[in-house]
Amino acid sequence: MTTPPSATPPTSTPPSATPPTSTPASATPPSSTPVTAPSSTAPRPAPWVRTKLRAAPLGTLLGAALAFVAVLLAAALPRAQDRGADQALRSFLERSAAGNTSLQVTAPSPDSGQSAQALDATLEKLLGPTGSTFRVDPEKTVHGARTTKRQPLLNPELSKPSGLPPSMNLLHVRQAESHVKLAEGHWPSSTPTAPVQAVPGEPAPLQVALSQKAAATLGARVGSVLKSESRVDGTPSVEVVGLYAVLDETDDFWTDNLGCLARACEHYYNESLAWDVDALVGTGDLDRMSTWSRTAEDFWQLPVDIGHLRADRLDATRKDIASYIAGPTAATLARETGRARLHTTSWLPERFEEARARTQAAAPLAAIGPAGVGGVAFVVLCLAGALAADRRDAELRLLLARGGSRAAIVGRLLGEGAVTVLPAAAAATALAVLLLPTPRLAPALLSAAAVALLTLLAFPVRAAVLLSPARPAGRWRRPVAELLVLIATVAAVVEVRRRGVAPPGSDLDPLLIAAPLLLALCGGLLLARIQPVVTGWLARAAGRSSGLVGFLGLARAARGPATTGTQARGSRTGPSVLPMVALIVAITTGGFGAAVLQSVDSSRLGVARLTVGGDAAISAFGKSPLPAGLAKAAGELPGVRTSVPLWIDHDSSLHGTTVRSSQVTVIVAEPAAYAELSRVLGCGSFDPALLATGGAPSADAPVPALFSASLAGQAEKGGTYTVQPGDGEELKVRVAGLVDCTPAHPARDAATVVLPTGAATALMGGADHPNRWLGLGDVDGDRLRELVRSKLPAPSGTPAPAPAPIPGSGSAAGPAPLDELYPVHTSAEAVIALGADPLQRSAQRLFWASMAGAAGFALLAVLLTLVRTVPERAALLARLRTMGLRRRQGVALILAETLPQTLAATLGGALVAAAAVALLGPAMDLSTLVGAHVPNGVRLTAGPVLTQALGLAALVAAAVCAEAATSGRRQITTELRAGDQR
């Protein structure tokens, strides 16, 4: 009969070579000095953590590397989002005019006692409440006083282009002298003007300084006394005592609410031109400024420092600005400054609201990538914990059998993980903070701590589950969990379809952005149910053939890996769900995000083409024709597929409709080419046969025409009407069809009439010389501009530039460059301009970086699954090799076992991604990402989804093949050594 082992684990200290002998009490020497026991020479027990880490150095390093990468991504993604949001906010505000980012404070000037010191003291009090959520740069503030109404200058020698007298305002600007250079005379006096009267009953003139350019325009000089209308209260005149030159007219100091200090401004009364000028007053005449226009006001312009604004504090900043404009802060400032009528205005609240709406619109794309990589990383960490627990299952159960408690074992495992994970997590967090500086630290720390905690607990929790007493298997647990996931997915999809991914005016709901992940999880769970059944069918079909490799590999793929522990060896649990879920999540999020970006690119190209009128356009101003031969030469350039010369008249009239006469835009074009242009641009497609004239028409025969939809209520199809171009000629037309828009004038509500060349050109003067050219194809803008320059007429015959084209006429918005008489625009350049927003670029960069991380983690999930079954598979291969299995057949066996799950996950991921686009895509607003207003919706195309699915599948298949080739080379003698415990 054998003695059962002791419940107490054996000590690591070896027994002494000479056991101590007990001494009877009678043998004790009669000495009062106690006998000292000999010191023990036995070695102390080795520390548990150090021993275990040294026993598996490779596993320790891999665990630390996994923790480092996971925590680095977790800490870096929030900081990258913050940096992108801050950069987008500042760029958006910088593109606004300087006055739109300033606080404009005004107050009526005091009736008496006005001084520069009072203005400066008020400025100090106005700067007091700033500095919390927003700050004002004191070096860029502008403050002073100004009159509120321009007064006409009645001097007969002054310039009067249309017979109207020039008008003048007076300003005192405290910072003006640092932005100008005195060119002639002297600055106005800083002491009050002597009350000596030049003429009895008239006050002494105010001393002013005028810019050189304004003086030259008016015809004034130093010493000129400029007089205004006399009033009973004695409106003073002004004396020009100095002329100054502006150092930099492009400086915001001059372009922002300072009137006409730098030069004279043009002012039109109907078509009559008059000059407006402003003059600088010295501190000596501050108290008399109001006599120029009866009233004056003090002003303080406080530019908000855009570089210190943060997107995460935008709501708090908006509240503080609103309080400064009309709230507690405004009331406090009015009381402290002693100016009861202090008034503050600013465009910043509106700009902040626009910036917040833009951020919300771009948030889904910015969140899809991090959510995808987070889901895949969670699966990988769970797999890594399961792999470590399976590898040490026998050791852990032995410790439990030798008397160790579950709590003590889990505590030791936590100690092992802390030594490995915590230093790696701390280093990763520090690196993310160093590489991506941003003021906000809390999100990165929380995200890094959560991932580090998951990495630390994955193995101990799995070990605690393995060491728990076996419980009866509940068949209801998995179906209930899957049902809960399905319910959550349906709720998320319904909510997205009802509210949209980013509802206007609200922050992004995590449930809404989790909808693609929930769809991927549902797909993974469904595929985990279907894949073993389908693989089993394939295995049975392969079993009917003579080969063994296919049947054995597919059978093992359908059954899954063998279980370990107390269960019977050789029992199977089915294929692992986690790696399949990881692949499907990566493919779904990648395919959905790629479909979003593809829709953004296609929408942006469509907007650019409608803005330009095609892929390239050459415009002439007004009715001026293009140079002779230019349209034909442009159509012969390399890359041009369709050439459409046009004649456009925006000043035509349509007679005979229900409103008798209405202004329309007439477009004369070759029907076939114009129909092709309309079809490609998706703007008013029509059959060119509608504009066929059927031979040479007579002068009285109506010409077929296409009317815009806006004219449908005024004209009926088949009716005959009269078109009168701006030159006064008339042309009878009949309505051959209606179009909702037209490429040459794409505004949906524009009143347009499209006529065919031939009949129209013969009956309308000037229509035989096109004034617009539109083209389709890959057109080089620089080459097209060179062609235009080569066709320009001689300098003596060069026509003067005319005003800018009419907005919405199909040409690019804004005036033509000064060096181009015939501006050239291309859709490629318009696409670049639309995509230049930092908000779009940061969202795209964050998405692709996240997708790269998700692909890496998905690949790691597959590799961990392969590593988990390496011992069993290697033993099988070794035994089969002894029975004649060749090495190539061994590799084929491994591929037959591992690739079905990968291929199934690829197909399932592509289908789930397509379903996500179909279900969630219509709820996304792409206007912010496109850069222009476009209809909502992500279009489902096969390219982006298949690219993501096939790319990840190829990466995983290559890794599987590499692992299979490595496993096939294992030595048989090593795998079949005596005492093998597999």
Side-chain angles (χ1 to χ4, degrees):
M1 181 176 180
T2 59
T3 303
S6 172
T8 303
T11 179
S12 59
T13 305
S16 176
T18 306
T21 57
S22 60
T23 304
S26 59
T28 302
S31 173
S32 60
T33 303
V35 178
T36 303
S39 60
S40 175
T41 59
R44 298 180 61 185
W48 171 276
V49 174
R50 185 184 67 186
T51 303
K52 298 307 297 181
L53 295 181
R54 285 184 175 181
L58 181 59
T60 301
L61 292 176
L62 291 179
L66 177 60
F68 181 86
V69 173
V71 175
L72 179 63
L73 285 177
L77 287 178
R79 297 182 70 81
Q81 284 181 319
D82 283 351
R83 285 169 58 86
D86 291 345
Q87 182 184 5
L89 171 64
R90 294 162 187 169
S91 175
F92 172 72
L93 294 177
E94 286 172 356
R95 289 199 300 269
S96 301
N100 291 342
T101 58
S102 300
L103 296 170
Q104 309 287 344
V105 186
T106 58
S109 298
D111 295 334
S112 61
Q114 175 70 294
S115 65
Q117 290 75 19
L119 294 172
D120 297 341
T122 303
L123 175 63
E124 293 298 328
K125 291 182 174 64
L126 293 176
L127 293 178
T130 65
S132 55
T133 57
F134 71 96
R135 54 170 293 189
V136 173
D137 189 353
E139 301 296 329
K140 295 183 179 180
T141 58
V142 181
H143 69 290
R146 61 192 171 201
T147 56
T148 56
K149 184 178 180 181
R150 296 184 182 275
Q151 296 299 313
L153 301 178
L154 304 180
N155 299 61
E157 70 273 10
L158 298 181
S159 173
K160 301 175 183 179
S162 301
L164 298 177
S167 58
M168 175 180 284
N169 249 354
L170 303 182
L171 290 91
H172 171 74
V173 183
R174 300 287 291 153
Q175 298 82 3
E177 293 186 15
S178 61
H179 293 269
V180 299
K181 179 179 66 174
L182 186 63
E184 187 178 350
H186 62 85
W187 287 109
S189 176
S190 59
T191 58
T193 305
V196 177
Q197 297 181 349
V199 179
E202 292 186 6
L206 298 171
Q207 295 184 1
V208 299
L210 202 59
S211 72
Q212 282 183 313
K213 293 184 177 180
T217 303
L218 292 183
R221 61 182 182 274
V222 174
S224 298
V225 178
L226 307 179
K227 298 182 179 182
S228 181
E229 294 178 349
S230 60
R231 291 203 307 265
V232 176
D233 56 357
T235 302
S237 56
V238 296
E239 179 184 0
V240 181
V241 299
L243 301 179
Y244 59 83
V246 175
L247 298 178
D248 183 10
E249 291 190 23
T250 63
D251 192 350
D252 290 341
F253 180 85
W254 301 108
T255 59
D256 188 20
N257 294 332
L258 283 186
C260 306
L261 285 175
R263 61 172 66 223
C265 303
E266 296 179 350
H267 188 93
Y268 286 91
Y269 299 91
N270 295 327
E271 296 183 358
S272 300
L273 171 64
W275 298 114
D276 287 344
V277 295
D278 292 337
L280 289 174
V281 176
T283 56
D285 288 331
L286 269 175
D287 210 21
R288 292 204 302 150
M289 279 183 62
S290 59
T291 60
W292 178 256
S293 62
R294 288 198 176 99
T295 58
E297 68 177 8
D298 300 338
F299 68 92
W300 298 266
Q301 179 178 302
L302 311 179
V304 174
D305 190 353
I306 297 174
H308 284 76
L309 294 179
R310 291 166 48 181
D312 61 290
R313 303 180 65 183
L314 192 59
D315 290 339
T317 305
R318 183 175 56 180
K319 291 179 181 178
D320 289 348
I321 293 288
S323 177
Y324 201 104
I325 295 173
T329 304
T332 302
L333 289 174
R335 183 176 61 256
E336 291 180 352
T337 59
R339 297 173 181 264
R341 297 171 62 185
L342 192 73
H343 181 61
T344 304
T345 59
S346 178
W347 287 101
L348 277 173
E350 289 78 6
R351 295 294 174 266
F352 287 164
E353 186 62 32
E354 293 176 10
R356 187 171 183 268
R358 285 161 41 83
T359 303
Q360 290 173 346
L365 180 62
I368 287 173
V373 70
V376 180
F378 177 80
V379 173
V380 169
L381 293 177
C382 292
L383 273 176
L387 175 62
D390 288 351
R391 180 172 57 87
R392 298 178 58 179
D393 180 70
E395 172 195 345
L396 299 178
R397 294 187 182 278
L398 177 60
L399 290 175
L400 186 64
R402 297 294 298 273
S405 65
R406 279 199 308 157
I409 295 173
V410 171
R412 290 182 179 272
L413 297 181
L414 282 174
E416 294 180 27
V419 173
T420 303
V421 172
L422 296 185
T429 304
L431 182 61
V433 172
L434 181 64
L435 293 179
L436 298 171
T438 187
R440 195 164 61 148
L441 190 60
L445 293 181
L446 290 177
S447 179
V451 174
L453 185 63
L454 175 62
T455 308
L456 181 62
L457 295 180
F459 176 30
V461 169
R462 175 63 176 171
V465 173
L466 289 178
L467 298 179
S468 300
R471 292 183 297 176
R475 294 178 176 271
W476 54 270
R477 294 174 186 168
R478 181 175 176 182
V480 169
E482 293 174 346
L483 181 61
L484 291 177
V485 173
L486 178 61
I487 293 174
T489 304
V490 172
V493 171
V494 171
E495 192 69 6
V496 168
R497 299 279 296 193
R498 185 178 68 87
R499 294 173 50 195
V501 176
S506 62
D507 293 327
L508 188 65
D509 190 342
L511 177 64
L512 304 185
I513 200 59
L517 300 182
L518 291 173
L519 284 173
L521 182 58
C522 283
L525 295 177
L526 179 62
L527 196 59
R529 293 282 191 179
I530 297 176
Q531 188 257 336
V533 178
V534 176
T535 308
W537 292 344
L538 296 177
R540 287 191 291 272
R544 300 188 186 97
S545 61
S546 58
L548 175 66
V549 174
F551 166 73
L552 185 57
L554 292 174
R556 287 174 57 83
R559 295 169 61 196
T563 59
T564 58
T566 59
Q567 298 180 24
R569 190 171 302 278
S571 62
R572 300 275 172 167
T573 61
S576 178
V577 179
L578 290 181
M580 187 176 298
V581 170
L583 284 173
I584 291 181
V585 168
I587 294 174
T588 300
T589 53
F592 183 77
V596 171
L597 294 180
Q598 176 68 25
S599 297
V600 168
D601 292 340
S602 61
S603 298
R604 192 177 290 160
L605 179 59
V607 170
R609 280 178 160 178
L610 284 179
T611 302
V612 173
D615 289 323
I618 306 175
S619 305
F621 291 120
K623 299 179 183 178
S624 301
L626 295 174
L630 176 59
K632 180 179 179 181
E636 296 173 352
L637 286 177
V640 177
R641 298 192 309 271
T642 303
S643 175
V644 187
L646 302 170
W647 183 79
I648 301 178
D649 181 17
H650 296 284
D651 299 326
S652 298
S653 300
L654 181 65
H655 301 278
T657 61
T658 56
V659 295
R660 301 185 64 181
S661 177
S662 58
Q663 185 175 2
V664 297
T665 297
V666 173
I667 302 169
V668 179
E670 198 280 319
Y674 197 70
E676 174 67 13
L677 181 67
S678 302
R679 183 190 64 80
V680 173
L681 268 61
C683 181
S685 299
F686 65 93
D687 184 1
L690 294 175
L691 297 180
T693 56
S698 63
D700 296 333
V703 177
L706 299 176
F707 278 34
S708 63
S710 61
L711 296 175
Q714 306 174 21
E716 60 181 11
K717 190 173 181 179
T720 302
Y721 305 94
T722 301
V723 172
Q724 183 177 10
D727 56 7
E729 298 182 10
E730 293 185 355
L731 177 67
K732 291 184 179 180
V733 298
R734 60 178 176 84
V735 183
L738 298 177
V739 290
D740 55 352
C741 73
T742 187
H745 197 27
R748 295 284 174 178
D749 57 348
T752 56
V753 176
V754 181
L755 300 174
T757 56
T761 55
L763 299 176
M764 298 178 67
D768 53 342
H769 300 291
N771 54 14
R772 178 80 56 81
W773 176 85
L774 303 177
L776 291 176
D778 187 10
V779 186
D780 187 355
D782 294 336
R783 177 176 293 183
L784 192 58
R785 291 185 179 90
E786 291 180 3
L787 175 64
V788 171
R789 283 191 289 267
S790 67
K791 294 293 183 178
L792 287 178
S796 59
T798 301
I806 295 177
S809 61
S811 61
L818 295 178
D819 59 342
E820 291 187 8
L821 298 176
Y822 303 97
V824 173
H825 303 281
T826 65
S827 61
E829 296 168 349
V831 166
I832 294 174
L834 289 173
D837 190 350
L839 184 65
Q840 306 168 7
R841 296 198 302 268
S842 63
Q844 292 179 8
R845 286 196 303 265
L846 185 63
F847 169 77
W848 288 120
S850 301
M851 286 302 97
F857 278 116
L859 177 61
L860 185 58
V862 175
L863 293 178
L864 287 176
T865 306
L866 294 176
V867 171
R868 188 178 184 181
T869 58
V870 161
E872 177 191 1
R873 188 167 59 249
L876 174 66
L877 287 175
R879 296 185 179 100
L880 291 177
R881 288 284 297 277
T882 61
M883 292 183 285
L885 185 72
R886 293 190 297 272
R887 178 175 297 176
R888 183 174 301 177
Q889 291 177 317
V891 174
L893 175 62
I894 297 174
L895 295 178
E897 178 184 352
T898 55
L899 283 183
Q901 191 178 35
T902 300
L903 297 178
T906 301
L907 178 61
L911 293 177
V912 173
V917 174
L919 292 175
L920 307 177
M924 292 196 68
D925 184 4
L926 303 180
S927 298
T928 299
L929 296 174
V930 172
H933 179 72
V934 295
N936 288 357
V938 178
R939 290 182 291 274
L940 177 59
T941 53
V945 175
L946 291 180
T947 299
Q948 297 294 313
L950 296 179
L952 186 56
L955 184 63
V956 172
V960 169
C961 293
E963 199 280 335
T966 303
S967 299
R969 296 189 180 95
R970 296 186 180 273
Q971 298 294 330
I972 298 179
T973 56
T974 302
E975 299 299 333
L976 297 180
R977 63 186 182 275
D980 186 16
Q981 298 299 317
R982 295 185 179 88

